[in-house]
Amino acid sequence: MPKTEGGVAAVDRAVDIIEYIYQQGGECTLSGIAQGLSIPKSAVHRMLQTLKNRNFIYQDEQSGRYGLGTRLFVLGRMIEEKNAFVTLVKPYADRLNAKYNECVHVTVPYNGGDELPRQLLIAKIQNPQSVLRVSPSVGALTYCHASASGKCMLAFSQPGFLDKYRGRPLIGFTENTITSWDVLDRQLEEIRRQGFATEDGETELGLSCTAAPVLNRRGELCVVISVSGPTSRIRALDQGQLVADLKQVALDMQNGIS
């Protein structure tokens, strides 16, 4: 790759690595990066560790692959404080947060990597006075099969989307995580039928979530909105009303953003 005259080689190399991972559409192996950029593996490894320490790069614990980190997402948000889309969806999330006083997440599909489908958290509304901070943080990537919002995303994805993943091991995070494709398929069918998804302790014990898809005018998945919190509080709510409110907000978002 061409280098600017008088530049710093290490900076050039770091930028090359970030751009290469981006151009590959998500996650890459150490060997793949070294081969793709014609850089010794030892040098790539040192650079990746530095970038990872600063959260510009993350490493998947299961596969060992490297992807673009949350720091880049945060910097992007600072540059575009608007993050026009996030600004657009925030008022809808605020409505749910104001009514239920629980954490509201807005997630979108993440297309990088090919291990298992994941989602990106782009907005999180939580009351400042809340003592319990519901994870994860904005910019986090999480596996779809282990959360209500992620299962909603899978249920309303394009036909055939899951075909390339089917048969790969589903990672278990708690005793409640779905690790069987047959069980997941049955649950996705139910989610499509009822128009919402639930989760109880599948990502983290003691936390629950109810989610609804936001479709565009062509019926394609746009984002997923969800209400999350301690299982004892979420399941004590009027579940029918919670689902009705989520679906209404999802419909209003569809009309307002698509």
Side-chain angles (χ1 to χ4, degrees):
M1 295 185 180
K3 304 289 183 267
T4 53
E5 193 171 332
V8 179
V11 176
D12 268 334
R13 188 165 283 179
V15 173
D16 285 347
I17 289 172
I18 291 171
E19 289 185 342
Y20 181 81
I21 294 174
Y22 171 77
Q23 290 162 2
Q24 296 306 304
E27 295 181 341
C28 300
T29 63
L30 170 62
S31 297
I33 297 170
Q35 183 175 356
L37 295 177
S38 299
I39 300 174
K41 286 177 64 175
S42 58
V44 173
H45 183 264
R46 288 195 301 271
M47 189 64 66
L48 285 170
Q49 293 310 302
T50 300
L51 291 169
K52 189 171 78 167
N53 290 340
R54 299 295 299 273
N55 293 322
F56 285 95
I57 294 294
Y58 75 88
Q59 185 176 19
D60 187 280
E61 294 181 1
Q62 300 293 326
S63 68
R65 289 171 173 263
Y66 295 89
L68 300 182
T70 56
R71 186 61 182 164
L72 291 172
F73 179 80
V74 172
L75 289 176
R77 292 180 67 221
M78 291 170 62
I79 293 171
E80 289 183 83
E81 193 84 80
K82 51 162 187 131
N83 197 338
F85 188 70
V86 173
T87 302
L88 205 57
V89 302
K90 187 176 182 298
Y92 302 99
D94 284 339
R95 278 169 46 189
L96 287 168
N97 176 257
K99 178 167 183 177
Y100 290 102
N101 198 31
E102 298 290 355
C103 189
V104 178
H105 289 164
V106 180
T107 56
V108 296
Y110 177 75
N111 297 321
D114 59 0
E115 177 117 358
L116 284 172
R118 290 185 292 174
Q119 58 182 341
L120 173 68
L121 178 60
I122 65 168
K124 176 179 181 177
I125 311 299
Q126 186 165 356
N127 293 339
Q129 64 269 30
S130 177
V131 176
L132 178 65
R133 311 308 293 176
V134 177
S135 57
S137 302
V138 171
L141 290 170
T142 56
Y143 288 97
C144 289
H145 71 280
S147 70
S149 55
K151 289 184 290 184
C152 227
M153 210 164 283
L154 297 180
F156 292 92
S157 61
Q158 292 295 311
F161 170 74
L162 281 176
D163 290 349
K164 69 175 181 178
Y165 302 102
R166 197 171 302 283
R168 297 181 185 179
L170 294 173
I171 302 166
F173 299 98
T174 74
E175 60 192 27
N176 297 330
T177 307
I178 295 174
T179 55
S180 162
W181 278 97
D182 288 340
V183 173
L184 180 61
D185 285 337
R186 287 197 296 271
Q187 196 164 123
L188 295 182
E189 181 58 38
E190 183 179 8
I191 291 168
R192 280 188 286 271
R193 178 179 55 78
Q194 64 189 14
F196 69 94
T198 60
E199 165 210 350
D200 292 306
E202 294 175 37
T203 298
E204 185 176 342
L205 290 175
L207 292 180
S208 290
C209 178
T210 301
V214 179
L215 309 178
N216 62 24
R217 298 182 190 279
R218 296 184 298 278
E220 301 164 334
L221 181 75
C222 185
V223 301
V224 174
I225 189 162
S226 63
V227 174
S228 303
T231 298
S232 58
R233 291 208 307 254
I234 294 296
R235 295 306 165 221
L237 297 171
D238 182 329
Q239 298 301 302
Q241 187 61 55
L242 174 59
V243 169
D245 288 337
L246 273 166
K247 286 185 174 181
Q248 184 59 57
V249 167
L251 180 60
D252 291 345
M253 288 176 73
Q254 175 184 313
N255 294 331
I257 68 179
S258 61

